[in-house]
Amino acid sequence: MSRAKRSILAIGFGLAGLLLLVSVSAVIALRSDWFREKVRERITREVEETTGGRAEIGSFTFDWHSLQAEVRPFVLRGTEGSGEPPLFQARSVCVGLKVVSIFRRKVDIALLRLEQPRLHVVVYEDGRTNLPQPEIARRLNKSAVEQMLDLAIGKFRIEDGIVEFASKRIPLTLHGEELQAQIFYHGLKPRYAGQVSFQKLVLGGSAALPVALDLDSAVAITNDRIEFSNARVSAGRSTLRADGAIRNLSSPGLELNYR
């Protein structure tokens, strides 16, 4: 065997050995307490920076075989007083991950499941709410625009949920697919605006619908108003197009134009 061939074989075996070592090290790291704690810290940091609230995580588990992380329970506190219920809490939050590209470090959310979530939004007499101000809003100047959320979820499920908003209590159970949300914060006139879409949404419980819904809509949220425009809702062979707003959140009223 020539020297060149031996050199090529040596390089090949060396690369194979290096790849094996990296693979074994990755498996050991994924199964370690160190990795779980790092994921736990990253979840807490990302949630707090995005929402501006204070996250509290109970027990945390990560199954490296299925790439599923579960938090039990999960609490997010806003600006409510110490004696008030938190802005959001859930008995369990399960997130299934899908690695799209190792080299680009791109990971999608294949599954999001919430068990017994409770969203508690308080509207005070002066129009303020207990919704916190995200870190982006605090650090940007008034003329700046920055992306706050870029979310894509393959399948999502909410089980036995409750939304409490302006003293109204709404039970919520649903599941759907292909949830996408891109939300930007606009500093000039403080508001959140972007695009939200999902497919095959099925409502359960007392609000059950006989068909699945698809939705694609532009949204904008200010202190006391939620606007939606160019909304397209499809169910079976029927399609509804609408523009409108929910105004005066302390005593909500609906404006709606639809086709």
Side-chain angles (χ1 to χ4, degrees):
M1 182 180 296
S2 66
R3 178 179 298 178
K5 290 183 178 180
R6 287 196 298 269
S7 299
I8 292 174
L9 284 175
I11 293 173
F13 282 122
L15 290 175
L18 178 61
L19 181 60
L20 179 61
L21 178 62
V22 170
S23 300
V24 172
S25 300
V27 170
I28 294 174
L30 285 173
R31 301 182 67 173
S32 67
D33 293 336
W34 171 85
F35 178 77
R36 285 192 291 270
E37 188 60 29
K38 288 297 182 183
V39 174
R40 178 191 179 112
E41 292 174 0
R42 180 63 182 271
I43 292 173
T44 302
R45 184 171 68 251
E46 291 290 342
V47 169
E48 292 184 342
E49 289 183 356
T50 301
T51 65
R54 180 165 59 89
E56 299 174 3
I57 292 179
S59 65
F60 174 78
T61 59
F62 182 80
D63 185 345
W64 71 278
H65 291 285
S66 59
L67 293 181
Q68 284 196 0
E70 184 175 15
V71 173
R72 181 183 292 265
F74 175 82
V75 176
L76 178 65
R77 299 189 180 276
T79 61
E80 63 274 353
S82 58
E84 295 180 287
L87 171 64
F88 178 83
Q89 58 184 327
R91 178 184 178 184
S92 170
V93 177
C94 181
V95 179
L97 305 177
K98 177 182 178 182
V99 179
V100 178
S101 173
I102 296 177
F103 299 104
R104 295 172 58 190
R105 294 187 295 180
K106 181 174 176 56
V107 178
D108 284 350
I109 299 177
L111 169 70
L112 175 64
R113 185 178 70 248
L114 307 179
E115 293 183 4
Q116 296 183 3
R118 302 290 186 266
L119 178 64
H120 182 75
V121 180
V122 182
V123 181
Y124 301 101
E125 293 182 358
D126 60 1
R128 294 182 302 107
T129 69
N130 62 329
L131 297 174
Q133 188 179 45
E135 179 66 27
I136 288 175
R138 292 196 290 264
R139 71 170 183 260
L140 287 183
N141 60 54
K142 291 185 177 180
S143 62
V145 177
E146 184 169 330
Q147 188 169 26
M148 189 187 80
L149 182 66
D150 186 4
L151 185 65
I153 300 175
K155 294 184 179 181
F156 57 95
R157 177 179 292 271
I158 295 177
E159 301 174 356
D160 191 23
I162 292 177
V163 176
E164 294 184 71
F165 181 83
S167 301
K168 295 178 175 60
R169 187 181 176 93
I170 305 169
L172 185 64
T173 296
L174 59 82
H175 62 86
E177 300 178 5
E178 302 302 328
L179 172 63
Q180 297 189 32
Q182 288 187 316
I183 304 296
F184 295 83
Y185 178 78
H186 298 253
L188 183 61
K189 181 182 178 182
R191 65 175 187 145
Y192 307 96
Q195 196 79 16
V196 176
S197 65
F198 54 73
Q199 297 177 13
K200 299 180 181 179
L201 179 71
V202 176
L203 295 176
S206 58
L209 292 176
V211 293
L213 300 177
D214 296 349
L215 177 138
D216 190 352
S217 178
V219 297
I221 304 172
T222 59
N223 284 338
D224 62 350
R225 187 178 177 89
I226 301 174
E227 300 177 355
F228 52 92
S229 59
N230 299 320
R232 182 179 183 273
V233 183
S234 300
R237 298 172 62 184
S238 301
T239 299
L240 174 74
R241 298 182 183 273
D243 303 284
I246 301 173
R247 49 180 170 74
N248 189 14
L249 297 182
S250 58
S251 180
L254 177 65
E255 301 171 0
L256 181 64
N257 296 312
Y258 63 90
R259 301 174 296 284

